[in-house]
Amino acid sequence: MISEPSRYYAVELQALPSRIGQVRRIVSAHLRHWHLDALVDHAVLGVTELLSNVHRHAQPDKRCTVEVELLLDRLTVSVRDHDPRIPEAAAPEPFDGVDGLDAFERLATSGRGLAIVGAVSESWGVRPCGADGKVVWFTLTAPPCAAPVEVCAHAVHDATTEGPLAGYGRFPVGAPLSTPIDPVLTPLTARSVLVG
């Protein structure tokens, strides 16, 4: 079970090659922060292909919005652009000699983006938005959340009974390390305690 059932991130950009690389790093960082490291490669590959399609094909401009949303066990990555034309996944023509080989060669460098998205994702689709454009999306299944990480203060078990820290008590569970165990009265606090 994922500890936080809903997370969302969006970024608007021009789908230019330099920005696509930046968005790859941003998506990767967010997924790692959400402890979804296992999904990084597929999500980044999928978003790269969708942004590359916007860069190559979208008209009248290259503005788009990338959205990453985690709902329970499903990660949805979507790219919205302003071009209302609906993309189609390309498939090579049947091999028929030289012309068939040309079709395979063209597919090797262009037209394979949605096929790749389909291969790395659980599902994908297109949602038309009328004259405002479209949203192309794909989903990935999020792995179950790992066991919570213990506080670093507990990393050395029973270190308070021997060694250089002998005699010191354990840090309280759940308290930040910057929080004193016994609050120290500052002059202002001491005055209010004495007066009040």
Side-chain angles (χ1 to χ4, degrees):
M1 177 67 67
I2 295 174
S3 60
E4 292 187 36
S6 177
R7 294 187 179 189
Y8 177 82
Y9 177 77
V11 60
E12 294 180 351
L13 69 139
Q14 290 281 338
L16 303 174
S18 62
R19 295 290 290 150
I20 292 171
Q22 291 172 344
V23 171
R24 286 172 54 96
R25 290 186 294 278
I26 290 169
V27 168
S28 176
H30 275 280
L31 294 180
R32 290 183 198 290
H33 178 71
W34 295 348
H35 303 286
L36 297 173
D37 299 45
L39 300 182
V40 168
D41 291 340
H42 288 167
V44 166
L45 179 58
V47 80
T48 300
E49 293 300 333
L50 295 184
L51 288 173
S52 295
N53 283 348
V54 173
H55 173 70
R56 286 187 188 115
H57 305 293
Q59 298 172 2
D61 58 43
K62 307 301 180 191
R63 288 182 305 129
C64 63
T65 302
V66 175
E67 295 178 306
V68 182
E69 184 175 33
L70 176 65
L71 290 174
L72 298 175
D73 66 342
R74 178 128 6 260
L75 181 75
T76 302
V77 179
S78 60
V79 175
R80 179 186 185 123
D81 65 50
H82 300 278
D83 188 344
R85 296 177 297 159
I86 303 300
E88 296 178 18
E93 301 292 323
F95 183 74
D96 60 356
V98 176
D99 291 336
L101 184 58
D102 289 341
F104 278 104
E105 287 174 357
R106 282 192 306 273
L107 187 60
T109 59
S110 179
R112 60 189 166 92
L114 292 177
I116 290 173
V117 170
V120 301
S121 67
E122 182 177 304
S123 61
W124 73 275
V126 179
R127 187 174 63 244
C129 301
D132 293 332
K134 66 185 169 299
V135 177
V136 183
W137 55 269
F138 65 91
T139 62
L140 299 168
T141 300
C145 185
V149 178
E150 289 191 38
V151 179
C152 290
H154 296 283
V156 181
H157 184 66
D158 287 335
T160 58
T161 59
E162 56 187 45
L165 300 177
Y168 289 94
R170 290 179 158 260
F171 289 106
V173 176
L177 295 178
S178 60
T179 305
I181 294 173
D182 295 322
V184 177
L185 296 178
T186 62
L188 180 61
T189 312
R191 195 175 323 121
S192 65
V193 170
L194 295 175
V195 174

